[in-house]
Amino acid sequence: MKHLLEVKDLAISFKTYAGEVQAIRGVNFHVDKGETLAIVGESGSGKSVTSQAIMKLIPMPPGYFKSGQILFNGQDLVPKSEKEMQSIRGKEIGMIFQDPMTSLNPTMKVGRQITEVLFKHETISKEDAHKRAVELLSLVGIPMPERRVNQYPHEFSGGMRQRVVIAMALAANPKLLIADEPTTALDVTIQAQILELMKELQKKIETSIIFITHDLGVVANVADRVAVMYAGQIVEIGTVDEIFYNPKHPYTWGLLASMPSLDHNGEEELMAIPGSPPDLTNPPKGDAFALRSPYAMKIDFEQEPPMFKISDTHYVKSWLLHPDAPKVEPPAAVKSKMREFKDHYEKPVQVKEGE
Ligand SMILES: Nc1ncnc2c1ncn2[C@@H]1O[C@H](COP(=O)(O)OP(=O)(O)OP(=O)(O)O)[C@@H](O)[C@H]1O
Ligand SMILES: [Mg+2]
């Protein structure tokens, strides 16, 4: 099957006074129709640059593509002009950012902001566009959409604003929706509601989603597959089950261990991953995580590991997966997290409509 999106060997750098920041260093992944891929990783790992690259929203300069292809429906977006991208952004690929106000115009009624997206990308009458705007607000769970459609962004709460942004992003029925930390700016209860909405939408519409977060905790519920990023590279990629129940990379172990407990009582101590990510103006030779890994071997400081294949869907960039490497098990803290997840997220039996 042809993938909806296929990112191949992507490398992006920024030219700065401090030197060349190698933000993305050879990234490969794909997204299929209707699936949700989560990208997780610490701050600075390259999640936003990856998503902005797909929309071609990287400021150039200082940024530039060093290598790679971004195949969307088989067509490479990298060489596309700004004009060509304008008909793809919003229409083919929608995007939701962390702060809803970056996407909303405070001086324009939300209904009009939605109908503008429709007018831009399709031929539609004023009445039909208005009707669609009301439908979209209703789809994203905004109560009294007929009234709300005539209100301004400041009349909405933060969570409701993010729903409006999601409605706008979905207006032109994009094939791919990119959500970059869509809930980080919201409080915990509202976060959960927006995540619930994304899950519902994913079932209702056929849009593929790239969901970016630094919070592994939200991923199990939302995503089909997970890509773990570290220092501008994907270090582990797999299905949710593979990442949560069979994680192989010590960095993924670190992320799992540093997650707050699911039934947390506020007393639990979190295990942060010791150390900090490398300086991307001068990335280390070998495995970029070696300096922080208690399992680092001599080769980790000399040679970059390849992606080792664990299954058709599960790949890990660590020398620990080499057949000659010593067998290491995840630490006890990670194993207990894995068990905890199993108890909480054993997937409920999916009942199809009409059954
Ligand atoms: N315009 C820019 N100029 C120089 N460096 C940049 C620029 N934009 C991003 N970078 C660098 O690229 C790297 C990746 O940044 P990115 O924003 O993708 O991280 P992230 O994973 O999204 O982090 P966060 O969780 O904090 O959002 C960082 O080292 C960052 O400093
Ligand atoms: Mg980011």
Side-chain angles (χ1 to χ4, degrees):
M1 188 181 124
K2 210 177 76 189
H3 305 301
L4 174 67
L5 177 78
E6 191 170 8
V7 173
K8 282 183 167 173
D9 197 27
L10 185 67
I12 293 168
S13 284
F14 294 92
K15 284 221 166 82
T16 70
Y17 290 114
E20 177 196 335
V21 180
Q22 299 178 39
I24 304 296
R25 305 185 300 130
V27 158
N28 292 280
F29 66 89
H30 70 265
V31 181
D32 283 328
K33 195 171 172 222
E35 82 168 344
T36 298
L37 173 76
I39 303 182
V40 300
E42 283 168 300
S43 186
S45 55
K47 307 181 296 294
S48 294
V49 172
T50 302
S51 63
Q52 287 159 7
I54 298 166
M55 294 287 268
K56 299 250 335 245
L57 287 174
I58 308 243
M60 295 192 174
Y64 65 100
F65 283 102
K66 274 185 93 166
S67 76
Q69 288 182 311
I70 299 172
L71 301 171
F72 181 72
N73 264 331
Q75 273 194 40
D76 191 4
L77 301 182
V78 173
K80 290 227 185 284
S81 67
E82 176 55 26
K83 192 153 176 275
E84 289 172 303
M85 281 313 293
Q86 280 175 8
S87 60
I88 292 173
R89 273 185 224 128
K91 171 81 191 106
E92 304 283 335
I93 309 176
M95 188 146 182
I96 309 167
F97 298 95
Q98 181 172 336
D99 177 3
M101 282 321 268
T102 53
S103 314
L104 292 172
N105 178 344
T107 66
M108 203 192 275
K109 288 177 180 170
V110 300
R112 180 127 172 254
Q113 303 195 45
I114 298 173
T115 55
E116 289 218 329
V117 178
L118 296 170
F119 292 138
K120 187 164 174 219
H121 296 295
E122 54 197 274
T123 327
I124 184 169
S125 72
K126 252 182 142 174
E127 293 80 64
D128 284 349
H130 184 83
K131 227 175 93 193
R132 264 294 277 145
V134 174
E135 277 167 18
L136 281 158
L137 291 183
S138 160
L139 174 77
V140 298
I142 291 183
M144 295 181 290
E146 294 87 0
R147 191 159 76 81
R148 296 297 242 165
V149 77
N150 291 317
Q151 293 183 335
Y152 291 91
H154 73 263
E155 298 175 77
F156 291 75
S157 66
M160 285 292 156
R161 261 180 224 154
Q162 196 59 300
R163 287 176 193 257
V164 173
V165 172
I166 295 172
M168 269 171 76
L170 294 176
N173 286 319
K175 297 185 185 71
L176 176 66
L177 182 66
I178 303 176
D180 190 352
E181 311 244 10
T183 62
T184 312
L186 306 169
D187 75 50
V188 181
T189 327
I190 309 296
Q191 261 187 37
Q193 291 170 6
I194 297 286
L195 289 169
E196 194 54 39
L197 169 69
M198 305 252 335
K199 242 173 67 188
E200 275 171 36
L201 289 174
Q202 187 195 19
K203 279 188 209 143
K204 278 190 205 161
I205 53 184
E206 275 211 318
T207 308
S208 306
I209 301 176
I210 296 180
F211 188 91
I212 293 172
T213 177
H214 60 264
D215 182 358
L216 203 49
V218 307
V219 162
N221 241 331
V222 180
D224 300 304
R225 288 189 301 122
V226 184
V228 179
M229 279 194 86
Y230 184 74
Q233 298 179 322
I234 290 176
V235 296
E236 181 158 8
I237 188 164
T239 63
V240 164
D241 285 2
E242 285 165 340
I243 298 297
F244 281 87
Y245 306 143
N246 193 23
K248 295 285 189 195
H249 198 288
Y251 181 64
T252 312
W253 295 347
L255 287 181
L256 284 165
S258 58
M259 272 173 46
S261 200
L262 289 162
D263 359 75
H264 66 134
N265 43 23
E267 284 162 27
E268 197 196 18
E269 253 185 78
L270 293 185
M271 257 177 60
I273 304 173
S276 46
D279 175 7
L280 293 177
T281 56
N282 187 19
K285 207 174 145 197
D287 184 334
F289 189 61
L291 282 167
R292 297 172 78 183
S293 172
Y295 311 97
M297 301 173 287
K298 190 163 165 273
I299 192 170
D300 285 308
F301 297 96
E302 291 163 359
Q303 221 177 313
E304 195 179 313
M307 274 284 191
F308 287 96
K309 181 175 175 175
I310 313 291
S311 76
D312 282 346
T313 46
H314 192 185
Y315 291 82
V316 183
K317 194 177 173 71
S318 166
W319 285 117
L320 288 174
L321 279 303
H322 190 280
D324 297 341
K327 298 280 161 280
V328 295
E329 287 276 306
V334 176
K335 283 193 163 163
S336 82
K337 275 283 150 30
M338 283 154 60
R339 273 195 299 275
E340 207 179 293
F341 259 95
K342 217 163 178 69
D343 296 342
H344 270 79
Y345 287 107
E346 278 302 77
K347 295 223 174 75
V349 183
Q350 298 259 329
V351 182
K352 288 207 188 87
E353 251 169 279
E355 274 178 9

